């Protein structure tokens, strides 16, 4: 969960470190039907895992539970399900799965989370490893034409690109939004736009971040871009330009959105409800803006 310390934004990256692997070395072996992915479409970190699950064709292998977009400080809740209860796990709050595993769990209740269905225990909420392992550890269950999200020939460069996207863009918008002083905000703003200008230039001569094919790097960038004009531009004060005013990034984002795994799992109403309602320290009125019009995401992108 994000927090502000000494006026600078920090992200708590201390997650449950267990992984679901082929060899089950952490006690959690790959097994179709054994686990449920809990991931809110409002959350960019969680939406990554939903997109990857669909790209790889794992929908019938790992079930999906989707908490609602608004929650209290205690837990994500299953407001979208009948009776406010997840229909598979039978719980109203994701916190229940965390405390089934670790009583009085002391940290934030975050999504995405992988939960073992039979025991009702959370396995992990370590979001970068969840998507990594959906590709590498669940490979025997991918659909035949699944994309190679971690190509060997560009792996080293891709790791560098993803690190910069994470620190400067994914986290960069939060660094702006939660800055506690003008000085912290100004520094965060400069870092964010330096990175976005770099991405705009990078995408001038390639369709995707690593070339002609979608990789994990694109998934990680997309979830921030999808929220940019709807949330980050105004709510987080990232307002030098809108995404729609950056030709390469905007066309690239539309290209991804118009592919089912991305567009199917981008819910602008949930996104806006989450940020503008839950983050009442930034938006104390709780008013949720009506725009922008999502129809523009379906305009031709010209990047084929």
């Amino acid at each position: 969960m994000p927090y502000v310390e000494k006026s600078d934004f920090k992200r708590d990256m201390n997650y449950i470190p267990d992984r679901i692997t082929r060899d089950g070395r952490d006690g959690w072996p790959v097994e179709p039907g054994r686990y449920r992915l809990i991931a809110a479409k409002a959350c960019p970190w969680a939406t990554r895992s939903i997109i990857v699950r669909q790209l790889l064709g794992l929908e019938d292998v790992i079930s999906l539970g989707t908490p609602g977009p608004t929650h209290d400080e205690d837990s994500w809740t299953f407001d979208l399900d009948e009776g406010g209860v997840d229909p598979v796990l039978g719980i109203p709050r994701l916190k229940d799965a965390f405390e089934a595993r670790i009583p009085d769990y002391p940290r934030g209740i975050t999504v995405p989370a992988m939960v073992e269905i039979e025991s009702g225990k959370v396995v992990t909420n370590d979001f970068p490893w969840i998507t990594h392992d959906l590709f590498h550890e669940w490979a025997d269950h991918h659909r035949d034409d699944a994309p190679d999200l971690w190509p060997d020939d560009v792996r080293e460069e891709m790791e560098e690109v993803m690190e910069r996207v994470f620190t400067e863009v994914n986290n960069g918008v939060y660094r702006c939004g939660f800055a506690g002083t003008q000085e912290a905000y100004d520094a965060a703003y400069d870092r964010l736009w330096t990175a976005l200008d770099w991405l705009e230039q990078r995408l001038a001569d390639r369709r995707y971040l690593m070339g002609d094919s979608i990789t994990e790097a694109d998934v990680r960038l997309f979830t921030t871009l999808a929220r940019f004009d709807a949330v980050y531009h105004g709510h987080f004060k990232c307002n030098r330009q809108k995404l729609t005013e950056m030709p390469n990034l905007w066309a690239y984002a539309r290209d991804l959105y118009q592919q089912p795994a991305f567009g199917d799992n981008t819910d602008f109403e949930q996104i806006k409800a989450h940020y503008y309602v839950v983050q009442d320290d930034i938006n104390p009125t709780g008013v949720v803006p009506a725009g922008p019009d999502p129809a523009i995401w379906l305009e031709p992108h010209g990047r084929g």
Side-chain angles (χ1 to χ4, degrees):
M1 300 288 284
Y3 65 93
V4 174
E5 180 181 272
K6 296 180 181 178
S7 80
D8 292 326
F9 169 81
K10 309 290 182 183
R11 180 170 298 282
D12 184 350
M13 292 293 290
N14 190 349
Y15 299 105
I16 300 171
D18 287 8
R19 294 168 57 192
I20 299 169
T21 57
R22 282 191 180 94
D23 61 10
R25 56 185 176 271
D26 290 339
W28 311 102
V30 165
E31 183 181 322
R34 180 169 176 172
Y35 306 99
R36 185 162 175 82
L37 172 63
I38 304 300
K41 291 186 177 181
C43 170
W45 317 100
T47 304
R48 292 181 183 185
S49 62
I50 306 175
I51 292 171
V52 169
R53 171 180 173 269
Q54 186 167 334
L55 281 171
L56 299 177
L58 293 171
E59 297 98 319
D60 294 332
V61 178
I62 302 169
S63 67
L64 175 66
T66 53
T70 60
H71 58 79
D72 56 29
E73 293 181 358
D74 200 36
S75 179
W76 290 86
T77 53
F78 294 97
D79 308 324
L80 303 178
D81 294 305
E82 185 175 355
V85 173
D86 180 85
V88 173
L89 299 176
I91 56 175
R93 306 168 72 79
L94 181 55
K95 184 177 182 178
D96 297 336
F98 279 73
E99 295 197 330
R101 170 83 185 279
I102 305 171
D104 299 319
Y105 181 72
R107 310 194 72 83
I109 307 301
T110 65
V111 288
M114 294 288 284
V115 178
E116 184 183 43
I117 295 171
E118 183 175 357
S119 69
K121 296 178 178 179
V122 67
V123 175
T124 183
N125 62 335
D126 196 340
F127 69 89
W129 281 109
I130 287 175
T131 53
H132 174 281
D133 290 344
L134 288 178
F135 180 77
H136 291 283
E137 302 296 332
W138 292 83
D140 292 342
H141 305 284
H142 293 176
R143 71 166 192 265
D144 291 341
D145 61 344
D148 183 358
L149 298 180
W150 293 78
D152 289 335
D153 60 334
V154 295
R155 179 75 55 83
E156 184 175 350
E157 183 188 6
M158 189 177 84
E159 294 279 8
E160 294 173 356
V161 169
M162 292 193 301
E163 178 64 18
R164 188 169 183 184
V165 166
F166 173 69
T167 59
E168 305 304 300
V169 180
N170 300 148
N171 255 355
V173 292
Y174 283 84
R175 198 178 293 115
C176 290
F178 286 98
T181 67
Q182 189 68 50
E183 182 181 16
Y185 167 75
D186 290 344
Y189 180 93
D190 288 345
R191 284 181 63 178
L192 171 66
W193 285 102
T194 296
L196 288 173
D197 286 340
W198 166 70
L199 288 165
E200 175 73 6
Q201 183 176 9
R202 183 179 181 89
L203 289 166
D205 60 359
R206 65 189 75 201
R207 184 172 182 181
Y208 303 115
L209 285 177
M210 303 312 303
D212 295 330
S213 301
I214 291 171
T215 66
E216 173 86 7
D218 299 299
V219 177
R220 295 185 179 196
L221 177 58
F222 173 80
T223 57
T224 295
L225 297 182
R227 288 155 177 77
F228 200 87
D229 287 3
V231 176
Y232 303 143
H233 179 271
H235 184 62
F236 277 179
K237 308 179 186 70
C238 303
N239 61 351
R240 192 192 78 180
Q241 291 171 271
K242 296 178 181 177
L243 176 65
T244 55
E245 296 166 346
M246 302 190 76
N248 297 327
L249 275 166
W250 174 224
Y252 161 82
R254 296 200 312 280
D255 184 359
L256 292 173
Y257 177 84
Q258 291 171 29
Q259 301 182 45
F262 293 85
D264 291 352
N265 298 303
T266 302
D267 188 317
F268 292 109
E269 294 307 311
Q270 289 196 45
I271 288 167
K272 291 187 293 183
H274 173 67
Y275 285 91
Y276 287 102
V277 174
V278 173
Q279 294 172 356
D280 55 7
D281 52 341
I282 299 177
N283 186 43
T285 66
V287 173
V288 179
D293 184 355
I296 61 175
W297 284 83
L298 297 175
E299 294 176 356
H301 54 76
R303 290 182 66 85

